[in-house]
């Protein structure tokens, strides 16, 4: 395992432990809800967004308890989006992270509620004093995550994705859609470190620029995996975009040009971090990991 993969896996273990503590099982009659939340949020997933939160917070020497709680909150929002995205009313998928999707394991109503509860739990965690002693910092985290996840961010992007099924989108529209649907949660994951560390403008600007380019590179690779990946490796159904007749970066650019664009964006993302010198090496490594990933 490379140094970077060890770091990614160590942070994933720490985030799992944090999520495990935050999503405690009990034997109340509604326990199936917590069980479904744990099923959807623990075990599995690359934990890229939590890595971004912790690594960006490390740039400012933020206490690990704070960054892991913020990382767990972002991952809860991500997991909620996957649970809802897999529902029959949305993408109607049976497999996620190599396991039955939440509504297949439980039922649709439980999956809707588990998603709702993961989303709200994320904001509860950010607002708690254990996340940061300064209420302004907690409030800034809540605001940034709400903006990234809501109608002007991920949920708005998902709506655009549904609308896109009836229209053939061009490159600027696809870029906007993907920026909202996946880019903004990636952006807030990097921004969170700057918020926790009360970073000054130039540092925040560098992180924002990095996240912008990395978000697009991530999405291009996601589109490539949908075309070239196989279900066992990717852990979810592939070929869905072509089946739905959706225009993607790959359908518009072609496989080779899309791959070249992802590489260029990852290099560009890493360059934005030169501002932090070698302290940002792990985030630079992440940019290259994202474009080489097979799942
Ligand atoms: C339903 C509110 C709502 C939003 C859905 C993000 C999203 C919006 C849907 C997910 C569908 C999807 C596959 C989007 C492409 C990019 C993406 C988020 C891929 C999954 O992220 P990874 O690769 O997954 O980080 P893991 O499992 O590693 O966490």
């Amino acid at each position: 395992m490379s140094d970077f993969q060890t770091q990614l896996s160590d942070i994933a273990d720490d985030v799992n432990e944090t999520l495990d503590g935050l999503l405690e099982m009990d034997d109340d009659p509604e326990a199936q809800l917590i069980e479904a939340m744990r099923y959807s949020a623990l075990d599995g997933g690359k934990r890229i967004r939590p890595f971004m939160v912790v690594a960006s917070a490390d740039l400012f020497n933020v206490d690990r308890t704070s960054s892991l709680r913020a990382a767990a909150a972002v991952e809860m929002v991500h997991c909620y989006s996957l649970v809802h995205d897999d529902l029959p009313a949305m993408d109607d998928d049976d497999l996620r992270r190599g396991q039955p999707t939440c509504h297949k394991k439980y039922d649709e109503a439980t999956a809707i509620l588990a998603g709702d509860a993961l989303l709200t739990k994320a904001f509860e965690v950010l607002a708690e004093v254990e996340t940061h002693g300064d209420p302004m910092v907690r409030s800034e985290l809540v605001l940034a995550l709400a903006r990234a996840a809501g109608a002007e961010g991920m949920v708005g992007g998902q709506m655009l994705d549904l609308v896109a099924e009836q229209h053939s989108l061009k490159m600027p529209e696809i870029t906007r859609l993907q920026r909202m649907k996946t880019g903004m949660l990636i952006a807030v994951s990097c921004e969170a470190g700057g918020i926790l560390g009360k970073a000054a403008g130039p540092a925040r600007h560098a992180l924002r620029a990095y996240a912008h380019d990395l978000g697009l590179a991530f999405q291009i690779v996601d589109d490539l995996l949908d075309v070239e990946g196989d279900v066992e490796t990717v852990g979810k159904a592939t070929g869905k975009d072509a089946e739905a007749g959706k225009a993607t970066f790959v359908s518009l650019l072609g496989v080779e040009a899309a791959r070249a664009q992802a590489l260029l964006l990852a290099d560009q993302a890493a360059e934005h971090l030169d501002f932090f010198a070698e302290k940002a090496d792990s985030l630079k490594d992440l940019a290259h990991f994202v474009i080489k990933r097979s799942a």
Side-chain angles (χ1 to χ4, degrees):
M1 227 194 250
S2 69
D3 276 0
F4 169 74
Q5 278 167 326
T6 308
Q7 280 181 59
L8 184 61
S9 145
D10 287 349
I11 291 177
D13 289 346
D14 291 347
V15 169
N16 285 349
E17 207 179 299
T18 307
L19 285 165
D20 186 36
L22 292 168
L23 301 171
E24 247 183 305
M25 267 313 281
D26 54 35
D27 54 6
D28 288 334
E30 70 278 16
Q32 175 166 304
L33 175 65
I34 312 286
E35 205 185 302
M37 291 164 77
R38 291 176 63 86
Y39 178 77
S40 308
L42 294 170
D43 304 327
K46 297 176 290 300
R47 308 303 200 199
I48 283 174
R49 295 159 193 78
F51 184 89
M52 288 173 179
V53 177
V54 173
S56 64
D58 282 356
L59 294 173
F60 312 103
N61 305 316
V62 171
D63 176 77
R64 271 289 166 102
T65 309
S66 290
S67 60
L68 284 169
R69 286 176 62 91
V74 170
E75 185 67 12
M76 284 184 207
V77 172
H78 171 57
C79 295
Y80 125 76
S81 80
L82 300 180
V83 170
H84 280 195
D85 185 66
D86 290 334
L87 285 167
M90 301 264 184
D91 252 14
D92 194 10
D93 275 306
D94 295 350
L95 203 63
R96 171 67 65 184
R97 295 174 165 171
Q99 301 292 328
T101 46
C102 187
H103 67 277
K104 284 282 162 189
K105 171 84 178 171
Y106 299 93
D107 52 59
E108 275 182 50
T110 305
I112 291 169
L113 295 176
D116 292 342
L118 280 169
L119 175 64
T120 40
K121 184 77 187 176
F123 292 100
E124 181 186 326
V125 170
L126 290 184
E128 279 168 341
V129 69
E130 292 86 345
T131 299
H132 201 283
D134 184 342
M136 283 305 288
V137 167
R138 301 200 298 274
S139 150
E140 210 185 319
L141 285 172
V142 167
L143 180 63
L145 186 59
R147 283 194 175 139
E152 286 160 31
M154 186 177 69
V155 176
Q158 179 75 352
M159 189 72 231
L160 277 175
D161 205 18
L162 296 175
V163 172
E165 286 175 17
Q166 322 305 329
H167 299 88
S168 51
L169 301 189
K170 305 273 184 313
M171 191 56 92
E173 297 157 314
I174 292 181
T175 307
R176 177 166 179 261
L177 184 163
Q178 300 301 0
R179 167 104 194 94
M180 289 168 74
K181 191 174 120 176
T182 53
M184 285 186 65
L185 200 60
I186 286 179
V188 77
S189 304
C190 298
E191 203 184 333
I195 297 174
L196 285 165
K198 300 186 180 181
R204 289 191 188 213
H205 180 76
L207 279 170
R208 210 171 297 132
Y210 163 81
H212 179 273
D213 290 343
L214 186 56
L216 281 178
F218 175 90
Q219 186 57 52
I220 293 174
V221 174
D222 204 71
D223 292 350
L224 283 165
L225 289 173
D226 191 61
V227 172
E228 301 185 315
D230 61 90
V231 61
E232 285 78 25
T233 318
V234 183
K236 61 180 180 182
T238 53
K240 301 262 311 182
D241 294 333
E243 194 186 306
K246 263 189 213 168
T248 66
F249 288 122
V250 175
S251 74
L252 291 191
L253 294 174
V255 167
E256 286 318 315
R259 203 187 314 283
Q261 184 68 12
L263 183 59
L264 190 129
L265 282 162
D267 285 343
Q268 204 170 279
E271 273 169 34
H272 291 304
L273 298 181
D274 286 346
F275 178 86
F276 299 103
E278 70 278 0
K279 237 186 155 184
D281 280 353
S282 62
L283 284 170
K284 289 186 179 185
D285 290 343
L286 176 71
H288 296 108
F289 168 83
V290 157
I291 54 161
K292 286 194 206 117
R293 72 199 169 100
S294 56

